[in-house]
Amino acid sequence: MRTHVTILDEVLDPKAWFTEIEVSEDTGAVAAFVGKCRGEKGRLKALELEHYPGMAEAEIGRIMEAAHARWELFDLFVVHRTGIVPVGEPIVLVAAGSVHRDAAFDAVRFVMDFLKTDAPFWKREHLVDGTVGEWIDAKESDDNARERWAEAPATA
Amino acid sequence: MKVKYFAWVRERIGVPEEEIVLPENVSTAGDLILWLKGRGDGYAYALEQDRFIRVAVDQRHVTHDAPVSGAREVALFPPMTGG
């Protein structure tokens, strides 16, 4: 099993990172998710991401361990941006490799759901008019997405 | 003990981190928040709604009833919004 975590303060190019995803010979499925900074209908110029160096890597590592315990995964891969992320640019890349697609799809979603609520990152809006906006509030829907996994059965 | 602050908690308190000597009557994360609140207006503002404040002890999430005595590093921050 391979795990990889990178916290990045420069442009996250998914195409370049995809070539870094090492896949074992027993891997039959690789699923990947890219989360991007959206423009909020022309209101937003960028998002600023702050993180807790050290704990961010450690916490993502613990989330990955939980995913490994739940599914038979060969590869798990997370790259997360910090700093100023302009609209249109990727913020996060999560990829998982497994024997079959269900485990790969589910593991990516699991890692994203826990990353949202548990990994120590915070977002603040930078607006098109040049002002620095508010810190973004945590969403209840993200907590609910995370809680769902408490009841969900594991897929092979 | 090193105490770190992030996002709007950091901004309201005005420093990213500081060294503190824990008073004897402070044993849990909740006690620490209560004690910090009394250190000035910035602290009181940052930690006003203490139920929203998340705590990490030595880089692991803990609840407010968890002990902080003996920790090397404690961090206080808002609910997380990464991903």
Side-chain angles (χ1 to χ4, degrees):
Chain A
M1 123 187 161
R2 299 189 183 93
T3 57
H4 174 104
V5 182
T6 297
I7 312 284
L8 198 66
D9 64 359
E10 57 196 42
V11 175
L12 194 175
D13 177 5
K15 287 195 290 295
W17 284 100
F18 281 139
T19 66
E20 300 285 316
I21 302 173
E22 291 183 61
V23 170
S24 91
E25 288 196 350
D26 292 320
T27 298
V30 178
F33 170 85
V34 176
K36 297 178 71 175
C37 175
R38 60 174 177 269
E40 302 281 7
K41 293 174 179 160
R43 193 173 61 84
L44 219 63
K45 185 168 74 181
L47 286 171
E48 177 185 347
L49 279 114
E50 178 170 332
H51 78 300
Y52 182 171
M55 183 173 168
E57 292 88 339
E59 189 63 28
I60 292 171
R62 288 189 280 268
I63 295 166
M64 288 170 135
E65 273 173 39
H68 274 296
R70 195 166 175 131
W71 293 280
E72 192 184 359
L73 301 169
F74 301 116
D75 318 282
L76 257 181
F77 197 88
V78 174
V79 186
H80 202 299
R81 272 296 305 269
T82 61
I84 304 286
V85 182
V87 165
E89 284 193 13
I91 296 170
V92 63
L93 164 65
V94 176
S98 188
V99 183
H100 300 296
R101 69 183 182 282
D102 281 353
F105 276 132
D106 286 357
V108 167
R109 190 166 194 139
F110 174 94
V111 169
M112 269 310 298
D113 285 348
F114 277 81
L115 197 151
K116 281 263 178 195
T117 56
D118 290 22
F121 291 85
W122 301 271
K123 288 195 191 97
R124 173 162 47 188
E125 296 184 331
H126 284 236
L127 308 180
V128 166
D129 65 12
T131 56
V132 178
E134 295 298 312
W135 291 94
I136 290 175
D137 282 331
K139 291 196 203 87
E140 199 181 333
S141 57
D142 287 337
D143 286 334
N144 296 340
R146 177 190 189 280
E147 291 311 314
R148 263 204 329 256
W149 291 103
E151 300 106 53
T155 48
Chain B
M1 172 191 291
K2 185 179 281 184
V3 185
K4 293 188 170 198
Y5 310 111
F6 292 95
W8 52 255
V9 173
R10 168 181 57 71
E11 287 185 331
R12 291 173 187 183
I13 288 175
V15 292
E17 61 178 67
E18 58 186 328
E19 285 290 334
I20 62 159
V21 178
L22 220 54
E24 271 180 28
N25 58 343
V26 172
S27 61
T28 66
D31 294 341
L32 175 64
I33 292 171
L34 201 63
W35 176 71
L36 286 169
K37 272 178 164 181
R39 295 183 84 203
D41 290 348
Y43 293 93
Y45 177 41
L47 307 173
E48 192 176 22
Q49 291 183 288
D50 44 7
R51 67 200 163 95
F52 290 121
I53 302 298
R54 303 297 174 89
V55 184
V57 170
D58 293 330
Q59 306 196 347
R60 281 177 178 271
H61 293 297
V62 299
T63 52
H64 284 199
D65 58 359
V68 289
S69 30
R72 291 185 311 277
E73 182 175 300
V74 176
L76 305 182
F77 43 78
M80 290 141 284
T81 55

